[in-house]
């Protein structure tokens, strides 16, 4: 199944996300050159917890992307802060038995998610874990993030525990077809999001439209594929 997105009116990274929530803010350890947050927010301060934001009303029945402006599971984020965010997610849903929020935790360091995998929020069927797999290769623009194969290994373990997983291939970079397909498949994703580079100050090695179409054709065999609005010219 393929879903083609229209341009988001809210500016959110995902159309299926109702709300972004950033109780942890600041410069991301991974320092990916193409990061859309660093493009918009120059001279970022060091990572920090914002208590006022941590306890704001999250509403009910929403799909929420916590810490969309950084990486909550980067190695430099204190364990206590991560636990405070997870506890807040759990407490919110515990008080909303009929209209729970869905939380999507996205990280380029899913191995660290496994350190918190016994937290009760991960027992909630609405909780999802997402990672970025922009290519099977390694480019210097990928900064200090763990290599894609390491992300896939961790996601496979997360999925084996019955947790819903998502892969975002954005910005999708030049890849090797068989290897890329295998890495994504290893994550056992319910959904794969395909997107282009949105930081036009950085030139990245991009695949051809034919290469992207071939990848999508095979991804459809085991996952729902969402083509983000900035990548529609690859498939039309």
């Amino acid at each position: 199944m393929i879903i083609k997105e229209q341009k988001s009116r809210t500016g959110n990274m995902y159309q299926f996300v109702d709300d972004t929530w950033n109780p942890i803010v600041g410069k991301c350890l991974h320092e990916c050159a193409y990061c859309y947050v660093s493009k918009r927010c120059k001279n970022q301060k060091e990572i920090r917890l914002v208590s006022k934001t941590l306890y704001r009303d999250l509403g009910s029945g929403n799909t929420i992307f916590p810490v969309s402006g950084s990486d909550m599971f980067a190695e430099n984020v204190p364990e206590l802060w991560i636990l405070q965010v997870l506890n807040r997610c759990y407490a919110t849903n515990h008080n909303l038995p009929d209209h729970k929020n869905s939380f999507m935790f996205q990280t380029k360091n899913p191995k660290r998610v496994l350190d918190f995998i016994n937290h009760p929020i991960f027992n909630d069927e609405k909780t999802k874990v997402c990672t970025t797999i922009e290519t099977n290769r390694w480019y210097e623009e990928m900064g200090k993030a763990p290599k894609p194969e390491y992300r896939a290994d961790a996601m496979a373990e997360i999925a084996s525990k019955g947790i819903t997983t998502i892969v975002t291939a954005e910005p999708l970079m030049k890849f090797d077809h068989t290897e890329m397909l295998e890495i994504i498949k290893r994550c056992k994703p319910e959904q794969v999001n395909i997107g282009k580079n949105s930081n036009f100050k950085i030139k990245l090695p991009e695949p051809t439209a034919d290469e992207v179409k071939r990848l999508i054709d095979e991804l459809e065999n085991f996952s729902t594929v969402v083509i983000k609005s900035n990548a529609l010219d690859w498939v039309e």
Side-chain angles (χ1 to χ4, degrees), residues 138-154:
W138 183 258
Y139 297 101
E140 62 180 4
E141 291 87 355
M142 295 160 74
K144 301 175 184 177
K147 292 183 177 180
E149 59 265 34
Y150 298 154
R151 302 175 210 170
D153 288 343

Side-chain angles (χ1 to χ4, degrees), residues 34 132-140 142 145-152 167-187 205-207 211 214-215:
Y34 48 76
T132 304
I133 304 288
E134 60 271 78
T135 177
N136 66 288
R137 302 179 183 179
W138 183 258
Y139 297 101
E140 62 180 4
M142 295 160 74
K147 292 183 177 180
E149 59 265 34
Y150 298 154
R151 302 175 210 170
V167 165
T168 291
E170 183 185 13
L172 183 60
M173 300 165 72
K174 194 77 174 176
F175 57 84
D176 303 294
H177 179 82
T178 301
E179 291 83 355
M180 181 66 164
L181 189 67
E182 176 55 33
I183 281 182
I184 294 177
K185 193 172 185 177
R186 205 184 311 163
C187 299
E206 289 191 340
E211 289 171 331
R214 182 184 175 205
L215 178 67

Side-chain angles (χ1 to χ4, degrees), residues 6 19 35 41 44 48 67 99 135 157 182 190 210 231:
Q6 300 302 312
D19 193 8
C35 177
C41 307
Q44 287 184 300
R48 62 197 185 280
V67 194
H99 301 283
T135 177
E157 189 170 349
E182 176 55 33
E190 172 189 77
D210 285 343

Side-chain angles (χ1 to χ4, degrees), residues 6-17:
Q6 300 302 312
K7 188 173 183 179
S8 173
R9 295 181 179 177
T10 63
N12 288 344
M13 185 176 178
Y14 300 107
Q15 284 196 351
F16 62 86
V17 167

